[in-house]
């Protein structure tokens, strides 16, 4: 073993010509196709790719949980295929859904992994102390893991992975479903490990801003490597092609939709007060009546989207269909009316106050965002609004009624998409769609029309007979949204609908949401992507069951303006608001 | 309303039957178990191993032993030579009983003295022992009758003439198979209904169901329909097999049977859905199923008569739907009972069904939060 | 980045950690404890008090077409027996109606010339007996009881007449181990075996499937833990729990139901442990094969209770089953344990019974655990 160790002291991972496929003929999917790369010791390597690119499969291969069909795979100088146990004894691997035992306390989870990893008893107190301090979990050692917020769970998972200091850390989407504050803390921990312990880190992520924190990035698409380089190198050739557009009148999202359809514009997203536009090569920004253009520095996301778009365009003859909507007629705006009102809404669980005297209202056709750290009470608020949970006190009305007490029929006006994409996993896509449509009373010609609409609009036709449990995550999300929209609801509740979904899927998703809002559908949404918060017309930021800030995205950003940061992003604003007055629950210690 | 309920019922069927493993588990075992258990469950003993300690060896003694061996119930497995061997044979369960014929057997018999035959029985399984003893009694009585007629001493003053109605040869399979039909139907219904809500809770789809316009009562009905349809279908197949394959007589009316089956399914589904509404995890649902299933089968009169139970347990069986269904099935199969004569079984079943379904509906609504 | 040889730590430490984890989970979710302790208590109480194969007070219709001294004496003979509660029916038609609507289980009918034939020397007076044959087993016992009642009446009658009264051959039955044929003494030990099959399988049937579904297995698999350690870590806590349930059941049998215990305690403990391993192993195997909790639940419900109830010899005699079915029962571990329990409770330590049955259980336990070991691999494929 030591002979190998000397040989590869500079490369933590060496992979050559790796192949892995799933399924039986004729339905074979190539999950990893002729992949070769190496990861230098002591660096942070990002593994980036859309859903189904093979990131998780690659991680599992490196952890010795799957066997490759061809190729060589050396981790820390050891052949993983031959000696998985040795590799498993020296690496730390945190799967996407880290298996915390929810009925065990924080300390009990740590002790279990210390036992499994064979950490000597005399070293434990120091190790625990360091990990608990690092993750800010010191004050919660006696709390059951199931009762931690999402961000804290993720940090505990990381602590369990690190209980015996590994030389290589594999992190599979460690920041999915985690609020920006906790995300920053997780990243701080990763850097600390690399700097202090000389650890090598390989992580996959769906947050492309995080890619820029990596020393190097590997781009993976459909099991193949598109490139490996530093994040900056990926964006070099984009200089001069990224511009911001702004118009005094109208909504940013209308401008965005408009620009997106123009020739020569490859991508358009909302970025603060601006609409960020990626131009085709050798193109100048188109003329914009009543508007201004400003050049912006390119970001990794621009490069990523460009690369994915060209990949997908190469595979499918026609380019990704732009939203096939009619010209936008914002008629619904003409007659605003309060569709959702919440007054002094409170929910207690025993002595714990999950939602504390919440008041806000949402207009028809508005996109309303509910932001907050994990455990701020967003989901509880959603469950009350949807009639799944009675309020302890206060008043609420959705479309004029309280859904918990109203007749079941009233629920036909709302659509609800829960965090976990509640689909019947053993049922096919078509069966899921049919069931939800019929449950909402659709029948006959109308039913058939909506089914056809759902299959084509969400591009689910090739999967119509696939069990929904076997779909890639992005398609699960599409199906869940299709199910929630079958009955054309007036009000749509979306609880973290884009968690873990890749940027292209998220663009398609927001295209649909904008279109719905323009047709008068009221949309209420929670998200952890702060760039997505910019799409909301108005939003509130919650913390510990209360509203910290409310207003338009611009107004909220303005609240965080300081001399030091004259132009804060939504994420900066969010973190400033959450951390400023009282420390959030997760970092109290 | 019905359209939504039917949509839910279709979804329930798909959720149960789309997965090959669960499809097999729901369809296969009941049919296999009918076959296996119908052969297994019998109180008619055959080939009971006996050991013979024949100290006499005369003609009369031989005739008695021959009568035991020729009955089909007993099989001689050993001839014992010494008194001390008796305990070995019984202790080691080589033989269930020892027929000990004394050295003066024939002499006593001919001199009109009581000729005693000793029977030593292994009482560890008291039921088998009691049945074996009753066989032996009958055989000895028959021997006596024959001896008295062939050696005319004096005609016995009285004789017993026995007839068994409905089951002249006292075949216990006729009694057991209808019972197995009831048990298998109960198990199938429990499996289909009791786990359904807990499964949705664990997968997170129950909330999604609750935000649709489906009323709790509609959810209840939608979840009850698969139990009803699967129970009815499998019940019909099992009954058909019981009559065709096991030649159990079917004397009654099919319509009466289906009325009883419908009422029974209603009450079983009600209980299944109650368990389902109470359980938050699958493990709890499974525990609930067993806490109901096992007593329901034991206290149904399937293997041991309800009349033998102490009064308070007899009262307890009044809330057991299996008790009524057992009587209905056996009555219709063997006696050809009419609708009127089974009325007293029908209305308690209907009552249990209504009460449990209402309770399940109430629990559905109140366990939502 | 110093020594390349990784530290794996000792297997004992890993197993200890897993056992502690599993025990904590058991404590936090009361349903496992309920399975181990509530299930046996409820079932034993119902069985112990509720179920008896010994008939008492069988309702009997007594019809004498011409009531007289003889019929009154016969009626008295039935009335004195604890087996019967006879009711006098005015005529056969009424008695038949009673039999049909289950008011009585049998009819004893004395025809009008019964007395006349009884007193005629060379004639035998026929006593008509009709039993409801639906419950064949019960009907046979009822017949035997009626015969006994009739016999005692006949003996009294001849003795009163000063004649010697005996049958040519008289059967003297001696029943060993359970002279009164108390069915509780044999049902309770048998029931313990049935209940322990249930408990053992239920405890483990969901545990592996649960780890699969909740995603905890993936994190466990990348630790240096070995499969054997994982299996032992799963089995030990449930084994302890199951032994607790077993101890409770035995205590109830001996002290609450007064079943005699003649064997050795240490043999009981040893064989119980082995039997519990077969049941836990079966549950574990179900869990590993099913991989999802719903299917595991279905399999557990269908394959545990009914086979243990029907094919173990608990109520139905295995020797009377067809040959192919007898072969099938060799797969049911409860059949061995029931024989062992009956022997230990009622007969004592009989080596010739204990050895083969213990070895059979050992074979089954080894089979299930080895099969589980083979089926579960440290990989996600």
């Amino acid at each position: 073993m030591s002979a190998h160790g000397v040989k590869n002291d500079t490369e933590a991972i060496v992979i050559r010509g790796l192949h892995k496929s799933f399924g039986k003929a004729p339905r074979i999917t190539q999950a990893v196709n002729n992949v070769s790369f190496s990861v230098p010791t002591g660096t942070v390597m990002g593994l980036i790719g859309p859903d189904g690119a093979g990131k998780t499969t690659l991680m599992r291969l490196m952890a010795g949980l799957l066997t490759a069909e061809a190729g060589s795979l050396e981790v820390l100088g050891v052949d993983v295929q031959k000696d998985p146990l040795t590799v498993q004894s020296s690496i730390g691997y945190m799967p996407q859904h880290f298996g915390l035992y929810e009925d065990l306390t924080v300390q009990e989870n740590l002790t279990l992994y210390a036992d499994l990893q064979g950490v000597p008893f005399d070293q434990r107190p120091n190790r625990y102390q360091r990990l608990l301090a690092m993750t800010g979990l010191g004050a919660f050692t006696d709390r059951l893991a199931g009762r931690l917020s999402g961000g804290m769970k993720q940090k505990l998972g990381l602590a369990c992975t690190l209980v015996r200091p590994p030389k290589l850390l594999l992190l599979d989407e460690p920041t999915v479903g985690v609020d920006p504050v906790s995300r920053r803390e997780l990243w701080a921990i990763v850097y600390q490990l690399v700097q202090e312990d000389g650890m090598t880190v390989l992580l996959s992520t769906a947050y492309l801003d995080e890619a820029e924190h990596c020393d190097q990035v590997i781009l993976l698409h459909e099991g193949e490597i598109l490139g490996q380089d530093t994040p900056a190198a990926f964006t070099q050739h984009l200089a001069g092609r990224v511009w911001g557009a702004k118009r005094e009148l109208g909504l940013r999202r209308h401008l965005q939709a408009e620009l997106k359809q123009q020739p020569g514009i490859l991508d358009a997203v909302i970025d603060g007060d601006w609409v960020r536009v990626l131009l085709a090569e050798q193109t100048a920004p188109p003329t914009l009546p009543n508007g201004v253009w400003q050049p912006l520095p390119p970001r990794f996301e621009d490069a990523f989207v460009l690369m994915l778009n060209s990949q997908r365009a190469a595979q499918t003859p026609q380019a990704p269909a732009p939203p096939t909507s009619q010209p936008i007629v914002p008629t619904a705006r003409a007659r605003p009316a309060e569709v959702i009102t919440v007054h002094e809404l409170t929910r207690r669980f025993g002595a714990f106050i999950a939602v504390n005297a919440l008041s806000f209202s949402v207009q028809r056709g508005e996109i309303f965002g509910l932001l907050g750290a994990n455990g701020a009470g967003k989901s509880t608020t959603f469950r009350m609004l949807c009639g799944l949970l009675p309020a302890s006190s206060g008043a609420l009305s959705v479309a004029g009624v309280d859904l918990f007490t109203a007749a079941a029929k009233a629920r036909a006006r709302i659509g609800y998409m829960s965090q976990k994409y509640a689909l019947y996993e053993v049922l096919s896509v078509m069966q899921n769609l049919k069931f939800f449509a019929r449950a909402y009373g659709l029948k006959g010609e109308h039913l058939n029309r909506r089914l056809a609409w759902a299959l084509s609009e969400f591009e689910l036709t090739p999967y119509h007979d696939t069990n929904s449990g076997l779909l890639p995550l992005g398609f699960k999300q599409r199906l869940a949204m299709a199910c929630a929209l079958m009955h054309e609801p007036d009000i749509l509740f979306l609880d973290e609908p884009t968690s873990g979904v890749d940027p292209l899927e998220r663009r398609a998703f927001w295209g649909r949401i904008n279109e719905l809002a323009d047709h008068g559908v009221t949309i209420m949404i929670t998200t952890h992507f702060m760039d997505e918060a910019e799409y909301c017309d108005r939003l509130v930021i919650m913390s510990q069951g209360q509203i910290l800030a409310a207003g338009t995205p611009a107004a909220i950003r303005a609240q965080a303006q300081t001399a030091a940061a004259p132009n804060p992003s939504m994420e900066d604003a969010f973190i400033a608001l959450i951390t400023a007055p009282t420390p959030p629950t997760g970092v109290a210690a | 309303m019905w359209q939504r309920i039917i949509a839910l019922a279709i979804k329930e069927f798909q959720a149960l039957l789309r997965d090959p493993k669960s499809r097999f588990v729901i369809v296969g075992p009941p049919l296999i178990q009918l076959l296996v258990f119908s052969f297994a469950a019998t109180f008619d003993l055959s080939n009971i191993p006996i050991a013979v300690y024949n100290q006499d060896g005369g003609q009369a003694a031989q005739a008695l032993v021959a009568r035991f061996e020729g009955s089909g119930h007993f099989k001689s497995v050993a001839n014992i030579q010494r008194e001390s061997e008796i305990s070995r044979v019984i202790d080691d369960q080589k033989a269930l009983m020892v027929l000990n014929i004394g050295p003066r057997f024939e002499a006593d018999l001919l001199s009109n003295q009581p000729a005693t035959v000793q029977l030593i029985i292994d009482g560890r399984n008291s039921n088998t022992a009691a049945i074996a003893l009753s066989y032996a009694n009958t055989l000895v009585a028959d021997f006596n009758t024959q001896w008295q007629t062939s050696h005319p001493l004096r005609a016995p003053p009285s004789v017993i003439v026995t007839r068994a109605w409905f089951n002249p040869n006292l075949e216990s399979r006729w009694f057991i198979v209808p019972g197995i039909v009831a048990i298998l139907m109960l198990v199938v219904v429990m499996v289909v209904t009791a786990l359904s809500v807990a499964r949705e809770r664990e997968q997170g789809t129950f909330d999604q169901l609750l935000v649709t316009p489906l009323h709790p009562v509609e959810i209840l009905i939608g979840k009850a329909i698969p139990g009803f349809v699967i129970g009815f279908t499998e019940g019909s197949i099992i009954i058909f097999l019981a009559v065709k394959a096991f030649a159990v007589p079917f004397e009654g009316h099919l319509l009466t049977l289906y009325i009883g089956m419908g009422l029974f399914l209603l009450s079983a589904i009600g209980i299944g859905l109650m368990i389902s509404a109470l359980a938050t995890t699958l493990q709890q649902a499974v525990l609930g199923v067993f806490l109901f299933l096992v007593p329901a089968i034991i206290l149904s009169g399937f293997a041991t008569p309800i009349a033998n139970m102490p009064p308070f347990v007899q009262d307890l069986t009044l809330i057991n739907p299996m008790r009524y269904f057992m009587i209905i099935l056996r009555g219709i199969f063997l006696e050809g009972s009419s609708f009127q004569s089974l009325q007293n079984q029908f209305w308690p079943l209907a009552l249990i069904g209504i009460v449990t379904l209402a309770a399940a509906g109430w629990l559905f609504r109140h366990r939502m939060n | 980045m110093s020594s390349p040889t990784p530290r794996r730590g000792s297997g004992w430490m890993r197993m200890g950690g897993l056992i502690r984890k599993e025990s904590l989970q058991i404590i936090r979710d009361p349903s496992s404890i309920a399975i181990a302790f509530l299930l046996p208590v409820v079932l034993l109480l119902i069985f112990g008090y509720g179920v008896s194969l010994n008939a008492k007070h069988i309702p009997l219709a007594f019809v004498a077409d011409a009531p007289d001294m003889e019929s009154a004496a016969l009626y008295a003979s039935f009335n004195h027996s604890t087996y019967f509660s006879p009711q006098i029916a005015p005529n056969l038609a009424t008695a038949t109606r009673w039999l049909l609507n289950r008011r009585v289980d049998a009819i004893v009918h004395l025809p009008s010339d019964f007395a006349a034939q009884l007193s005629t020397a060379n004639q035998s007076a026929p006593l008509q007996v009709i039993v409801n044959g639906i419950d064949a087993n019960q009907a046979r016992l009822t017949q035997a009881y009626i015969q006994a009642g009739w016999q005692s009446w006949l003996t009294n009658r001849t003795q009163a007449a000063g004649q010697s009264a005996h049958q040519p051959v008289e059967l003297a039955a001696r029943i060993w181990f359970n002279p009164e044929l108390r069915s509780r003494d044999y049902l309770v030990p048998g029931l313990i075996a049935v209940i322990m099959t249930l408990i053992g399988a239920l405890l483990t049937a969901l545990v592996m499937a649960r780890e699969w579904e909740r995603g905890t297995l993936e994190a466990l698999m990348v630790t240096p833990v070995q499969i054997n350690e994982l299996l032992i870590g799963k089995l030990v806590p449930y084994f302890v729990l199951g032994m607790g349930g077993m101890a409770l059941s035995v205590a109830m049998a001996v002290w609450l139901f007064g079943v005699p215990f003649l064997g050795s305690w240490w043999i009981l403990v040893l064989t119980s442990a082995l039997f519990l391993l077969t049941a836990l192993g079966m549950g574990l195997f179900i869990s590993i094969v099913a991989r999802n909790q719903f299917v595991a639940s279905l399999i557990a419900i269908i394959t545990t209770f009914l086979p243990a109830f029907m094919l173990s010899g608990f109520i139905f005699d295995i020797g009377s089953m067809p040959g192919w079915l007898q072969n099938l029962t060799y797969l049911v571990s409860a059949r061995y344990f029931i024989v062992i329990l009956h022997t230990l409770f009622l007969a004592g330590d009989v080596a010739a019974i204990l050895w083969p049955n213990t070895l059979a259980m050992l074979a089954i336990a080894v089979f299930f655990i080895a099969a589980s070991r083979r089926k579960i691999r440290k990989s996600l494929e």
Side-chain angles (χ1 to χ4, degrees), chain B residues 302-315:
Chain B
F302 165 65
T304 63
I306 291 175
N308 290 2
M309 298 170 190
F312 81 93
V313 181
Q314 288 198 31
D315 292 343

Side-chain angles (χ1 to χ4, degrees), chain A residues 20 60 65-67 85-86 88-89 93 99 101 103-104 108 111-113 115-118 124 167, chain C residues 1 3 8 13-14 17 20-21 24-25 28 211 216 218-222 224 226 378-381:
Chain A
K20 175 73 196 171
R60 287 177 173 172
L65 291 174
L66 295 174
T67 13
L85 219 53
T86 306
Q88 285 159 4
S89 317
Y93 167 57
Y101 290 93
D103 38 10
L104 261 55
E108 285 160 1
T111 309
L112 169 66
Y113 281 93
D115 285 340
L116 293 178
Q117 297 283 8
R124 290 187 187 187
K167 288 180 213 149
Chain C
M1 298 258 77
S3 145
R8 270 187 213 158
M13 188 194 269
R14 290 193 292 267
R20 185 162 55 244
K21 176 219 96 182
L24 285 166
Q25 285 189 298
R28 304 260 154 83
E211 298 233 9
T216 46
E218 191 175 351
L220 276 192
M221 277 183 173
V222 284
Q226 285 166 3
K378 238 188 126 182
S379 122
L380 292 170
E381 278 167 284

